[in-house]
Amino acid sequence: MAENLCPQCGAPLAPGATECKYCGEAVAPAQVQPQPQPQPQYQQQGAYGQPGQPVQVFVQTGDNDGIDPSWPIKNKITAGLLAILLGSLGIHKFYLGKTGMGILYLLLCWTYIPGIVGLVEGIMYLCSDDHNFQVKNHVRLQ
């Protein structure tokens, strides 16, 4: 359903309205502008038809929810339990593919700081919703 927009403030107008209910601007039927429709987004993916001849394939992606299909598949509960139980060694960071942070946790494990941070991260992993966990950690859930 296409809505009309006020030329003064850009607010949506009801069909046949003579003035904007937000700013009070008088609107003539010729001044009413249709709202632009969102264009579909396309993503280029490489594929090969015959040997040595690349073929471009375009896939319509619709609404971008921020989750890349190429991310590895992990389990949120496993990550949370690893963080709570073995967080001082950074095992949960290695599991999620963040090896640099895992090494940092290993180097600082004698200070007990990674253990406390791991406990907090484990609780956050288990309490977060699935979409936020996937986007923040660049993983997909099983």
Side-chain angles (χ1 to χ4, degrees):
M1 178 175 153
E3 291 183 339
N4 298 324
L5 299 177
C6 172
Q8 179 68 26
C9 68
L13 296 172
T18 58
E19 68 177 32
C20 177
K21 66 180 181 179
Y22 297 103
C23 68
E25 178 74 17
V27 179
Q31 289 182 332
V32 175
Q33 301 171 354
Q35 184 178 16
Q37 296 296 323
Q39 297 295 324
Q41 297 176 0
Y42 293 96
Q43 190 176 55
Q44 181 177 351
Q45 294 182 344
Y48 293 93
Q50 296 178 352
Q53 300 216 343
V55 177
Q56 291 182 348
V57 178
F58 292 93
V59 179
Q60 186 173 357
T61 58
D63 290 339
N64 187 3
D65 59 359
I67 299 172
D68 189 356
S70 66
W71 289 343
I73 297 175
K74 301 292 181 180
N75 190 332
K76 183 173 82 167
I77 295 174
T78 302
L81 290 177
L82 285 173
I84 291 172
L85 300 175
L86 300 171
S88 61
L89 300 175
I91 303 299
H92 63 293
K93 294 294 185 180
F94 288 111
Y95 176 73
L96 293 174
K98 299 178 180 180
T99 55
M101 288 299 292
I103 291 171
L104 184 66
Y105 275 51
L106 273 175
L107 292 175
L108 298 175
C109 68
W110 61 274
T111 64
Y112 298 107
I113 294 172
I116 296 167
V117 173
L119 177 67
V120 172
E121 284 180 336
I123 294 169
M124 287 174 42
Y125 291 165
L126 295 174
C127 293
S128 69
D129 67 338
D130 292 343
H131 184 266
N132 287 344
F133 177 79
Q134 292 178 83
V135 172
K136 181 179 177 190
N137 296 297
H138 297 274
V139 297
R140 291 182 298 146
L141 295 179
Q142 288 180 340

